[in-house]
Amino acid sequence: MIDQFMTATFDTTQTGDVSLEAAETYLQAAQRCLASDRPAGLEALNDLFHSGSVARPDGRTRGQLVALDIAPGLTPLLGGLLARWRPWQGKVFDRDANRGENVFTRDSYLPARAIWPFYRRYSDDGPATYRAFPFRTSAGPARDDPGRAVLRLDYDLPANPHAAISVRRVLDELVQVADGLYLGKAYVHWYRSNWSLVAYFALRPVLI
């Protein structure tokens, strides 16, 4: 399956040794495949993720939701909504402190307050965005491939909501697939269940 996405300049077996243009082309091809052959598109994203090395971002990054994979009925519904409304804007990392936060658009603030009314860690990030939901970072084994090292973004912190929709049950994994492009997996630990992969996302450093 993966041969249909390959280019002369991109080989998913050559970890950390691909151009940004080739990695972006592969990512876009995998996204297009999701519309016609969802399992193949998800497999291509997984192959791209496995080509990466441990990410070490620092500073601000611009975020992109690449794919959702929650449940057969819920995935297209949320995917359609988030294709038109993109509240999540990315993440800010403090590499020395091993921590970071997420960045959201201002128009998501009231819905967030309604979902998590007792959460108090919202902070200003400028006229159009705010920050919320901190995480701690550490290098460690990937959930689905213990032999592969990733950067783990752990949200199980006392500051995060642990209510009906629990942010503390989220775990992100991040790899660098090219200089200037990170690919992430988002997992959720469902109540009375196992960890489940629910989304792929991309991060790109913001140059100031």
Side-chain angles (χ1 to χ4, degrees):
M1 183 279 304
I2 197 170
D3 291 342
Q4 64 186 298
F5 300 107
M6 297 287 282
T7 70
T9 57
F10 183 75
D11 181 353
T12 57
T13 65
Q14 300 301 311
T15 303
D17 190 26
V18 300
S19 71
L20 176 60
E21 181 181 5
E24 291 279 17
T25 298
Y26 188 97
L27 179 62
Q28 292 165 13
Q31 284 186 280
R32 289 194 298 270
C33 184
L34 289 167
S36 58
D37 189 344
R38 188 167 188 80
L42 291 173
E43 183 181 344
L45 290 172
N46 192 51
D47 286 344
L48 181 58
F49 185 87
H50 283 174
S51 78
S53 57
V54 179
R56 303 187 185 280
D58 193 27
R60 195 178 191 87
T61 61
R62 175 171 49 89
Q64 174 195 4
L65 178 62
V66 175
L68 285 175
D69 191 29
I70 301 173
L74 193 56
T75 295
L77 180 64
L78 285 178
L81 172 64
L82 294 176
R84 296 185 295 272
W85 180 49
R86 301 175 182 177
W88 178 66
Q89 295 293 290
K91 301 178 187 289
V92 178
F93 292 85
D94 185 337
R95 185 166 54 197
D96 291 339
N98 298 313
R99 62 182 178 86
E101 291 180 292
N102 286 273
V103 180
F104 299 90
T105 56
R106 287 282 182 183
D107 60 359
S108 69
Y109 180 71
L110 290 180
R113 289 299 303 267
I115 297 171
W116 298 286
F118 301 109
Y119 181 63
R120 294 292 182 268
R121 287 291 299 271
Y122 301 105
S123 60
D124 286 336
D125 186 65
T129 54
Y130 67 92
R131 297 186 190 183
F133 310 135
F135 52 82
R136 59 172 173 259
T137 61
S138 63
R143 289 204 56 82
D144 294 341
D145 186 0
R148 184 173 302 278
V150 298
L151 184 70
R152 297 162 58 91
L153 282 57
D154 187 358
Y155 291 83
D156 190 11
L157 302 174
N160 281 328
H162 197 35
I165 301 178
S166 177
V167 175
R168 293 175 61 178
R169 290 177 172 268
V170 175
L171 173 69
D172 292 340
E173 294 181 349
L174 197 65
V175 295
Q176 181 171 342
V177 296
D179 186 14
L181 179 61
Y182 305 104
L183 185 62
K185 290 182 176 182
Y187 290 87
V188 172
H189 190 191
W190 302 113
Y191 290 93
R192 299 182 181 179
S193 184
N194 297 320
W195 287 93
S196 178
L197 173 62
V198 297
Y200 284 88
F201 62 91
L203 295 173
R204 297 168 178 84
V206 175
L207 302 179
I208 300 176

